[in-house]
Amino acid sequence: MRNIIITGGAGFIGSHVVRLFVNKYPNYRIINLDKLTYAGNLANLKDIEDKPNYRFVRMDICDFQGVLQLMQEEKVDGIIHLAAESHVDRSIKDPFTFAQTNVMGTLSLLQAAKAYWESLPEKYEGKRFYHISTDEVYGALQMTHPEGIEPPFTTKASSGKHHLAYGEKFFTEELKYQPHSPYSAAKASSDHFVRAFHDTFGMPTIVTNCSNNYGPYQFPEKLIPLFINNIRHRKPLPVYGKGENVRDWLYVVDHARAIDVIFHEGKIAETYNIGGFNEWKNIDIIKVLINTVDRLLGRPEGADMDLITYVTDRAGHDLRYAIDSSKLQRELGWEPSLQFEEGIEKTVRWYLDNQEWMDNVTSGDYQKYYDDMYKNR
Ligand code: NAD
Ligand code: TYD
């Protein structure tokens, strides 16, 4: 029996983590704590919202007293912290909100957990504060090869497996933090606070840094759902710069599976990088998306290539992200379950089959869901 708060459970990744834990652990009590910002959508959790081991609480992680009371009331012994402002473009326009939620919000959660757990006779025994972070804290990697070979080239990961890469360096857990965007700077700061609470107070913390996620329920401001929806409606696809930037993509359910393994078996005070050695240039992914959407809609494959529209580059646009997740694979035996081709096919199908979900998000109707479903409960 465990009582776990999952913050940000109404968001993209959080909803997959909540679903996995609610279904897999009927003996656990899962409390989804979410403020429901524009990114929170309770329709993401329709299939589990009536389960007896699930509770939704609308709350801001910055509300220290509220979180403390909730922890006392629910005798919380585990926190899986995903709530954050997560979109780089928004962080460029409004960095204050990112510092407030990602830094102050994380600190407020840490303080509440500290106050509650230190008040118990057993203190931190059996407790866990698990902070979900991003690979973007490490900064950006170059696209270089020592012998001048043109990327992508085949290389061997420290796990021993071969994969395609766009450069010879990878993000490992020991790398120094070099965030460039206000988003990654705020996430980096929150990671430092979490580690400081372990080092200073002995709080049992774990931090993981994951690569770009894709899959169902992602808010359509991010590349993959935005572009699938635009291709469907034959709207222009705004490609930043030359589309040459490289991201390392992981299917969201595989991230949730990693979170499950690490929450239960990860070592306290450790950091684990999560990724599937799956680097892609934006423009190549975009072509895959166009071909897949066209094929599934019965259009001639590639008919929508002319939607590609090169626009002004994102300020400070990180060139390449590439995660080395061999520590996680070696120590805890986690591996991604899906190949990218399979994951992208599933993802495109999901968005095409769930047009109502997409329409509710793009029209803003999804924000009424809380009032309809929860206000009178
Ligand atoms: P998201 O933007 O889809 O969801 C964020 C959720 O947090 C929303 O439900 C929102 O309502 C909630 N939230 C925001 N501010 C809050 C506050 N002050 N109090 C309570 N709830 C609040 O984000 P996501 O893409 O699911 O990312 C989740 C976490 O994973 C973030 O911490 C992010 O940094 C990290 N991450 C994301 C990716 C990715 O590719 N999306 C990759 C690695 C790590
Ligand atoms: P995004 O999904 O915003 O994730 P992140 O910036 O956290 O990696 O963007 C993924 C990549 O796609 C990134 O290199 C920026 C690029 N991009 C575009 O070219 N056009 C777009 O409209 C968006 C949203 C992103």
Side-chain angles (χ1 to χ4, degrees):
M1 179 73 201
R2 295 197 78 137
N3 303 317
I4 302 169
I5 287 183
I6 298 180
T7 71
F12 165 48
I13 303 171
S15 64
H16 288 275
V17 178
V18 167
R19 175 174 298 101
L20 178 68
F21 274 67
V22 165
N23 286 331
K24 187 169 172 187
Y25 301 108
N27 296 337
Y28 290 8
R29 185 156 168 77
I30 302 301
I31 303 130
N32 173 9
L33 186 164
D34 197 298
K35 181 182 174 181
L36 298 183
T37 66
Y38 80 93
N41 183 354
L42 286 174
N44 296 357
L45 291 165
K46 258 188 185 161
D47 53 322
I48 57 104
E49 70 187 358
D50 291 324
K51 297 262 175 155
N53 61 337
Y54 171 70
R55 176 181 175 196
F56 173 71
V57 178
R58 187 173 197 173
M59 191 178 283
D60 190 330
I61 52 167
C62 299
D63 176 1
F64 165 79
Q65 281 301 340
V67 176
L68 178 57
Q69 271 171 25
L70 184 65
M71 289 192 74
Q72 289 165 337
E73 182 191 321
E74 293 280 4
K75 301 188 170 38
V76 169
D77 51 14
I79 295 183
I80 304 179
H81 175 35
L82 295 108
E85 289 292 336
S86 67
H87 190 40
V88 173
D89 293 326
R90 286 180 190 256
S91 82
I92 294 167
K93 293 197 189 93
D94 174 22
F96 275 125
T97 305
F98 281 69
Q100 178 63 22
T101 292
N102 299 3
V103 186
M104 294 306 289
T106 300
L107 181 54
S108 147
L109 264 189
L110 286 162
Q111 280 284 64
K114 174 176 180 288
Y116 174 54
W117 289 339
E118 287 192 352
S119 75
L120 300 172
E122 78 279 12
K123 303 209 183 296
Y124 290 122
E125 187 69 41
K127 310 296 186 296
R128 219 152 244 217
F129 189 109
Y130 177 3
H131 177 62
I132 310 298
S133 193
T134 165
D135 59 355
E136 304 191 23
V137 298
Y138 296 118
L141 294 164
Q142 292 305 309
M143 298 204 213
T144 51
H145 188 282
E147 285 141 38
I149 298 171
E150 273 295 297
F153 43 79
T154 303
T155 187
K156 201 162 134 191
S158 34
S159 65
K161 291 198 182 123
H162 287 87
H163 58 94
L164 277 185
Y166 280 86
E168 88 265 32
K169 294 229 168 82
F170 296 86
F171 293 144
T172 56
E173 286 85 358
E174 301 77 38
L175 222 59
K176 106 171 187 224
Y177 274 27
Q178 278 189 305
H180 298 299
S181 73
Y183 162 64
S184 52
K187 288 297 290 187
S189 172
S190 65
D191 296 8
H192 290 317
F193 269 110
V194 173
R195 295 193 179 104
F197 268 61
H198 170 269
D199 297 349
T200 310
F201 307 112
M203 187 179 283
T205 60
I206 293 187
V207 177
T208 56
N209 299 83
C210 188
S211 61
N212 284 60
N213 285 212
Y214 71 96
Y217 301 113
Q218 188 167 28
F219 196 84
E221 62 186 352
K222 306 275 168 65
L223 180 78
I224 289 186
L226 175 72
F227 278 35
I228 293 172
N229 196 40
N230 283 11
I231 300 163
R232 181 188 183 121
H233 295 291
R234 293 210 159 98
K235 294 205 307 213
L237 307 174
V239 181
Y240 298 162
K242 295 188 181 134
E244 297 282 302
N245 302 64
V246 169
R247 295 291 180 266
D248 186 353
W249 294 93
L250 182 68
Y251 192 60
V252 61
V253 174
D254 281 328
H255 188 190
R257 287 176 50 249
I259 290 172
D260 176 19
V261 171
I262 293 162
F263 179 76
H264 289 98
E265 294 166 37
K267 273 203 228 126
I268 298 300
E270 288 285 324
T271 295
Y272 299 91
N273 282 349
I274 309 174
F277 295 104
N278 181 43
E279 294 178 55
W280 283 75
K281 260 189 192 175
N282 290 342
I283 193 65
D284 293 335
I285 291 228
I286 291 162
K287 288 178 184 162
V288 171
L289 291 176
I290 294 173
N291 283 330
T292 312
V293 174
D294 283 347
R295 176 165 46 78
L296 293 177
L297 290 180
R299 298 175 186 166
E301 208 159 297
D304 290 312
M305 287 294 169
D306 60 348
L307 296 175
I308 292 176
T309 309
Y310 292 96
V311 300
T312 310
D313 208 356
R314 172 187 279 172
H317 197 173
D318 285 336
L319 186 62
R320 170 176 172 250
Y321 300 146
I323 273 273
D324 183 340
S325 60
S326 34
K327 174 179 172 183
L328 173 61
Q329 305 200 358
R330 200 175 51 243
E331 293 186 9
L332 300 182
W334 171 91
E335 282 206 15
S337 67
L338 275 189
Q339 291 296 314
F340 187 64
E341 288 71 11
E342 222 181 320
I344 273 292
E345 177 90 13
K346 264 177 103 131
T347 301
V348 173
R349 266 185 205 283
W350 188 88
Y351 285 100
L352 296 181
D353 290 347
N354 289 275
Q355 192 56 40
E356 197 186 335
W357 179 91
M358 182 62 85
D359 290 344
N360 278 332
V361 173
T362 48
S363 68
D365 277 356
Y366 72 106
Q367 286 171 319
K368 295 185 197 133
Y369 194 82
Y370 174 76
D371 289 342
D372 294 347
M373 297 300 294
Y374 282 88
K375 268 280 162 69
N376 302 319
R377 279 193 176 197

